[in-house]
């Protein structure tokens, strides 16, 4: 009589091994994506595709039908994760398909132009998940149906080679180890040269998968992977795909700015990050990183025509079209802290730049110092001239304009926008007076423009007209973009500059942070070249207007010779996202098999196990969110240290779950006011929100050691209850809380 033995379906073993190998190879993306938000969606995608394949084979479906089901499953997963307009949260209707297409198109731009490591934006997450899903499907067919696990290594090598060739440094060593382990398990799943039967003894399978041969293969593969990774890095493209050059960007639609660099990723962080320390700057001036000259009504402002320029390590020529080099001389020492980008920011008109390392170029036409080699920014010294013409000198600026006609291009400018520019400047006798009139139009409170980190909702297809005539609300991108278009409409060459305001003083240094990121306008005047204008109505003291513009916009006030020494107040950073939570890998689902060596295993235990594993993965974000909520509520109730800050973070997470993520630059009081208005909190909720802000400010600014308010738990519950009454969460937001997954970034 044959002894009963526990059997396992070897096709399921091969399926699991294929999915594991794909995920281990995907670990290489950790070297080019700056954060881990992509990991959970990637795991969910690969496991989902593998599970659909296993179910299709379990029910004896044909290969073509199983593959089609896997593709449909992949589409459902991508829709649920990355589309707001999905039917019932998961079904891909026409709107959701269009939204997913837009995400993938944006991801293509980010891949072509980004400098790794880049933030794992939703568009990049969608692209990674789509690619891994397709690879998981192909590997599943090769390993399970064709029974050729070694061949699947070619697909895995492609997955690994993409980030390896993009990174300028070697990928983290553990990614090579993970890839080697996954490939070794995949080879072992072939069952010792296909000697496995359809249902095999579990002990024999375990011995094959985790025996000495597999360990030896894993070790050898690890060494080969390390050497291959070093080779790919050495012959890579210095952080860019072939054909990509620094002047190519991507960004927002409409009148927004198009540049995408690692700078943009740094500016989108959830907390204030110090970028530069500057010594020696006496005259307030903007720190310019790049200028954009092309305006596309559908895409926004883009950098076009950047030349190879001249070596930035020698004395630099005057900018193109500039013959008057008079101004305030400065010698400035700039130390990058948290800044890494192919654009080297400079003040005013650079005369010489030293210390930044090799391979930096200067384009006199664009006024940009840049590199095509991805390298760390080093401390550098700039000798510059800060132009200081008088209004009278700019009014009398005459003569030819030896600059490219592209700076006057008005293609696509709506007629009503051009008419507005002419009406605003009808009484201005000179180009300088026209530029001042346009600048004043945005900064004069009587005209209704206001600075806001969110733009007004669009009402039509023309974003520029929406902003100028209806919304009148936005941040520096919208203001600089709009004024530059208006300048061209009245015949004044213009471009948009991107960089930083001068920051705040810290002893004998200036500190420039992500809060100082800014965009402004540069208009051209014969002889004097490009001069700064700033239409953004900032009220926080960060504006650094040149003397001629300050005197024209504020004729009754005397321009101080220097910015006051006191630093502008910076609000304590709002709570950033909670560090990425560890996701359980899940356990292999085992099922009892019928006794007897020849008996077939029942499909239902495996099916149920796969479903349970899938449901567990789906429930993980909600479980993590609930555990975090309970931990915080307990800490607040117990009066633990920092209880007010803990309560505030819980409120911010509740709002983020509802799609609202306040900017880190806003104070707690300003954030609270915005949330009360946005959600329409009732009287009790408004009262509780204001009491919470008082408790938070007391904890931040009062001397340490003070006990939290005794009524803090009731205050927190009052805010949360009011939020739930005013804006109850839908099912999708409960299952996939944004505060845990962080799949989407709020508008900045």
């Amino acid at each position: 009589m044959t002894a009963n033995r526990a059997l396992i379906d070897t096709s399921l073993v091969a399926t699991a091994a294929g999915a594991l190998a794909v995920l281990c190879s995907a670990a290489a993306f950790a070297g080019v994506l700056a954060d881990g938000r992509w990991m959970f969606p990637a795991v969910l995608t690969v496991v989902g595709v593998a599970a659909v394949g296993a179910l299709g084979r379990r029910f004896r479906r044909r290969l073509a039908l199983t593959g089609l089901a896997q593709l449909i499953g992949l589409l459902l997963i991508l829709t649920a994760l990355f589309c707001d307009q999905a039917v019932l949260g998961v079904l891909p209707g026409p709107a959701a398909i269009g939204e997913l297409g837009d995400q993938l198109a944006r991801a293509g731009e980010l891949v072509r132009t980004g400098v790794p490591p880049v933030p794992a934006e939703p568009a990049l997450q969608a692209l990674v998940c789509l690619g891994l899903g397709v690879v998981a499907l192909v590997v599943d067919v090769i390993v399970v149906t064709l029974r050729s696990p070694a061949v699947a290594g070619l697909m895995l090598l492609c997955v690994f080679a993409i980030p390896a060739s993009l990174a300028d440094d070697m990928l983290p060593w553990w990614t090579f180890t993970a890839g080697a382990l996954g490939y070794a398990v995949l080879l072992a799943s072939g069952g010792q040269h296909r000697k496995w039967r359809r249902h095999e003894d579990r002990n024999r399978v375990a011995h094959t998968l985790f025996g000495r041969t597999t360990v030896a293969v894993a070790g050898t593969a690890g060494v080969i992977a390390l050497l291959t990774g070093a080779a790919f890095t050495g012959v890579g493209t210095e952080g860019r795909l072939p054909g990509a050059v620094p002047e190519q960007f991507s960004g927002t639609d409409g009148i927004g700015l198009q540049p995408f660099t690692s700078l943009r990723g740094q500016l989108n962080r959830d907390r204030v990050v110090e970028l530069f320390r500057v010594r020696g700057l006496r005259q307030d001036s903007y720190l310019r990183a790049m200028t954009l000259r092309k305006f596309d009504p559908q895409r926004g402002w883009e950098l076009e025509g950047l030349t190879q320029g001249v070596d930035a390590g020698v004395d630099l020529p005057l900018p193109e079209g500039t013959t008057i080099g008079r101004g305030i001389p400065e010698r400035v020492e700039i130390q990058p802290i948290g800044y890494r980008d192919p654009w080297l920011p400079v003040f005013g008109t650079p005369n010489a730049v030293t210390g930044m390392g090799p391979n930096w170029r200067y384009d006199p036409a664009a006024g940009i110092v840049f590199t095509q080699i991805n390298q760390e920014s080093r401390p550098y010294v700039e000798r510059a001239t800060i132009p200081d013409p008088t209004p009278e000198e700019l009014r009398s600026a005459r003569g030819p304009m030896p600059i490219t006609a592209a700076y006057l291009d008005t293609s696509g400018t709506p007629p009503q926008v051009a008419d507005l520019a002419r009406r605003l400047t009808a009484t201005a006798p000179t180009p300088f007076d026209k530029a001042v009139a346009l600048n004043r139009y945005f900064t004069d409170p009587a005209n209704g423009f206001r600075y806001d980190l969110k733009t007004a909702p669009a009402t039509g297809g023309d974003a520029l007209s929406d902003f100028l005539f209806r919304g009148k609300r936005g941040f520096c991108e919208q203001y600089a973009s709009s004024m530059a278009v208006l300048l061209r409409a009245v015949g004044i060459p213009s471009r948009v500059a991107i960089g930083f305001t001068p920051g705040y003083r810290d002893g004998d240094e200036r500190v420039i942070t992500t809060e100082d990121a800014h965009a402004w306008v540069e208009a051209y005047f014969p002889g004097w070249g490009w001069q700064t204008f700033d239409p953004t109505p900032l009220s926080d003291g960060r504006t650094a207007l040149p003397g001629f513009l300050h005197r024209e916009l504020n004729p009754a006030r005397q321009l101080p010779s220097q910015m006051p020494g006191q630093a502008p107040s910076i609000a304590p950073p709002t709570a950033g996202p909670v560090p990425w939570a560890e996701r359980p890998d899940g356990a292999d689902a085992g099922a009892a098999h019928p006794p007897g060596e020849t008996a077939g295993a029942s499909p239902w235990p495996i099916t149920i196990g796969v479903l349970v594993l899938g449901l567990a993965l789906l429930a993980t974000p909600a479980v993590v969110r609930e555990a975090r909520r309970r931990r915080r509520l307990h800490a607040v109730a117990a009066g633990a240290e920092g209880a007010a800050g803990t309560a505030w973070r819980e409120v911010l997470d509740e709002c983020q779950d509802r799609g609202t993520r306040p900017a880190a630059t806003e104070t707690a009081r300003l954030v609270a006011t915005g949330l009360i208005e946005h959600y329409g909190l009732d009287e009790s909720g408004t009262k509780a929100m204001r009491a919470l802000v008082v408790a938070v400010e007391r904890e931040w600014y009062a001397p340490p050691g003070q006990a939290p308010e005794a009524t803090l738990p009731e205050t927190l519950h009052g805010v949360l209850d009011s939020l739930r009454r005013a804006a109850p969460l839908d099912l999708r937001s409960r299952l996939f809380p944004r505060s845990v997954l962080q799949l989407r970034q709020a508008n900045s």
Side-chain angles (χ1 to χ4, degrees):
M1 182 175 179
T2 304
N4 292 337
R5 292 189 291 176
L7 302 179
I8 188 171
D9 189 334
T10 54
S11 68
L12 293 179
V13 174
T15 298
L20 175 65
V22 173
L23 290 174
C24 288
S25 298
F29 284 101
V32 294
L33 296 175
D35 52 77
R37 289 175 293 162
W38 63 277
M39 293 181 181
F40 180 77
V43 171
L44 187 62
T45 301
V46 173
V47 171
V49 170
V52 173
L55 287 174
R57 286 185 292 271
R58 178 59 62 181
F59 291 107
R60 312 294 184 185
R61 300 302 179 191
R62 293 183 178 180
L63 174 62
L65 291 178
T66 299
L68 179 61
Q70 288 176 293
L71 287 175
I72 294 174
L74 174 60
L75 180 59
L76 291 174
I77 293 172
L78 294 176
T79 302
L81 290 176
F82 302 105
C83 295
D84 286 329
Q85 304 181 53
V87 180
L88 300 179
V90 294
L91 299 180
I97 294 296
E99 185 180 358
L100 187 59
D102 291 340
Q103 289 272 36
L104 296 176
R106 172 167 169 75
E109 293 291 324
L110 301 185
V111 170
R112 189 171 70 249
T113 60
V115 179
V118 297
E121 295 190 9
L124 288 176
Q125 295 179 40
L127 181 61
V128 169
C129 289
L130 174 61
L132 291 180
V134 173
V135 169
L137 191 159
V138 175
V139 169
D140 189 64
V141 171
I142 293 174
V143 173
V144 183
T145 304
L146 303 181
R147 299 182 182 180
S148 302
V151 177
L154 297 175
M155 291 295 299
L156 302 179
L157 181 61
C158 291
V159 174
F160 221 95
I162 292 173
S165 62
L166 289 176
D168 58 329
D169 298 319
M170 179 177 283
L171 298 175
W173 67 268
W174 59 268
T175 63
F176 296 102
T177 303
L181 175 62
Y183 187 57
V185 172
L186 183 64
L187 290 177
S189 70
Q192 294 179 335
H193 305 290
R194 304 181 188 176
K195 292 181 181 179
W196 280 352
R197 290 164 293 186
R198 175 63 186 271
H199 297 94
E200 190 58 77
D201 180 71
R202 288 187 178 183
N203 293 331
R204 183 181 181 189
V205 170
H207 177 75
T208 302
L209 289 177
F210 307 111
R212 294 180 180 178
T213 302
T214 303
V215 173
V217 171
T220 303
V223 173
I224 295 175
L226 284 170
L227 295 176
T228 304
F232 268 118
T233 300
V235 300
T237 55
E238 295 293 344
R240 296 180 181 274
L241 287 175
V245 293
E247 60 264 31
Q248 295 174 321
F249 300 94
S250 72
T252 57
D253 291 333
I255 60 172
L257 307 180
Q258 287 296 327
F260 174 85
T261 61
S262 55
L263 168 62
R264 165 157 285 195
Q266 290 166 335
L267 302 184
N268 284 338
R269 297 190 185 195
D270 301 303
R271 59 188 179 89
V272 178
V273 177
E274 184 175 315
L275 297 178
F276 302 96
R277 284 191 170 263
V278 178
R279 300 172 64 94
L281 182 66
R282 297 169 298 168
Q283 176 72 24
D284 290 347
S285 179
Y286 290 137
L287 183 62
R288 181 178 62 252
M290 68 185 78
T291 60
L292 312 179
R293 82 175 188 187
K294 179 183 178 182
F295 177 69
D296 184 320
Q298 301 302 319
R299 292 175 51 82
W301 284 87
E302 302 171 291
L303 192 155
E304 181 189 60
L306 187 65
T307 69
Q308 291 297 315
V310 299
D311 184 359
V314 301
D315 288 346
L316 304 179
L318 285 173
E320 183 182 86
T322 304
T323 58
I324 303 173
R326 196 191 75 210
I328 302 171
E330 297 275 13
R331 182 185 182 278
V332 188
E333 300 175 8
I334 305 172
Q335 180 183 6
I337 304 295
Y339 177 87
R340 182 169 182 253
D341 209 78
W343 317 102
L344 193 74
V346 292
F347 290 102
T349 302
N351 301 319
V353 186
T354 58
M356 67 286 188
N359 300 311
W360 288 91
R361 311 291 295 178
Y362 174 63
D363 185 343
I368 297 175
V369 180
F370 66 95
T371 181
Q372 290 184 325
I373 303 298
N374 192 12
Q375 56 183 296
E376 294 291 340
S377 297
R378 309 176 189 177
Y380 57 100
V381 176
E382 179 194 3
R383 285 193 295 105
T385 299
I386 309 298
D388 190 29
T390 66
E392 291 71 25
E393 288 173 324
L394 293 180
R395 284 191 176 96
S396 61
R398 295 287 189 275
M401 293 188 289
I403 57 174
T404 176
Y407 289 112
L408 280 166
D409 183 19
T410 57
S411 302
T413 301
Q416 63 270 27
V417 173
D419 182 64
L420 173 66
R422 288 189 291 269
R423 286 190 285 110
L424 293 175
T425 60
T427 60
T430 69
F432 174 73
D433 292 304
K434 294 179 187 294
V436 172
L438 294 176
N439 201 121
R440 185 181 291 113
Y441 175 65
F442 293 102
T443 57
D444 187 345
N447 293 322
F449 288 93
R450 66 186 179 93
Y451 181 79
D452 196 334
L453 292 178
K454 290 186 178 180
T455 57
T459 60
D462 181 0
L464 178 59
S465 297
D466 271 342
F467 174 73
L468 287 173
F469 299 110
R470 290 174 286 275
K472 293 190 174 184
R473 189 178 85 210
F475 48 107
C476 57
E477 285 192 16
Q478 279 68 37
Y479 286 97
S481 300
S482 300
M483 181 177 171
V485 173
L486 294 176
L487 283 169
R488 291 188 179 184
V490 294
I492 301 175
S494 66
R495 65 190 186 189
V496 174
I498 303 173
F500 307 88
T501 58
Y504 66 89
R505 290 191 180 279
D506 182 17
D508 59 351
E509 295 181 326
R510 284 187 181 273
V511 178
I512 296 176
T513 72
T514 48
E515 281 193 324
D516 298 302
H518 195 47
W520 61 94
V521 179
E522 292 183 350
Y524 178 79
F525 297 92
W528 288 99
W530 297 97
Q531 300 298 318
T532 295
F533 291 80
D534 192 349
T536 305
L538 294 174
S539 59
D540 55 6
R542 291 190 292 129
T543 305
L545 299 180
F548 65 82
L549 184 58
H550 186 97
R551 287 190 289 272
E552 290 297 309
L553 296 179
N554 305 281
R557 298 171 57 188
Q558 196 73 290
L559 177 66
S561 59
Q562 193 170 5
M563 187 178 182
Q566 183 177 359
S569 60
I570 293 182
T574 57
V578 178
W580 183 259
E582 291 291 332
R583 309 291 187 204
D585 294 329
D588 292 335
H593 294 271
E597 186 172 342
T598 60
S602 171
W604 294 111
I606 300 299
T607 302
I608 293 173
V610 172
L611 291 176
V612 169
L613 177 60
L615 291 174
L617 287 172
L618 289 174
T620 297
V623 171
V624 172
R625 178 72 182 95
E626 183 61 25
R628 184 182 299 164
R629 179 185 294 111
R630 291 178 179 274
R631 185 175 67 251
R632 288 173 175 169
L633 293 177
H634 181 269
V636 172
E641 182 179 357
T646 300
W648 182 243
R649 287 192 292 274
E650 178 59 26
V651 170
L652 291 180
D653 277 2
E654 282 286 339
C655 295
Q656 186 175 347
D657 291 341
R658 289 164 170 78
T660 302
R661 189 175 183 179
T665 56
E666 295 180 344
T667 64
R669 189 171 295 272
L670 184 60
V671 169
T673 301
L675 295 178
I676 291 171
E677 295 177 354
H678 181 75
Y679 291 107
L681 300 187
D682 53 27
E683 183 178 353
S684 63
T686 300
K687 182 178 179 181
M689 180 72 83
R690 289 171 176 165
L692 178 59
V693 169
V694 172
V696 170
E697 291 176 337
R698 179 172 177 264
E699 181 175 282
W700 281 350
Y701 302 116
Q706 298 193 26
E709 297 284 350
T711 59
L712 185 59
E714 291 77 15
T715 299
L716 174 58
H717 282 289
V719 175
L720 298 181
D721 292 342
S722 181
L723 268 175
R724 290 160 187 162
R725 289 192 298 270
L729 287 172
D730 56 23
L731 179 61
R732 182 187 178 195
S733 297
R734 292 177 183 273
L735 289 177
F736 303 101
R738 293 177 175 86
S739 59
V740 174
L741 297 180
Q742 304 176 37
L743 290 177
R744 300 188 178 279
Q745 292 184 346
N747 294 332
S748 58

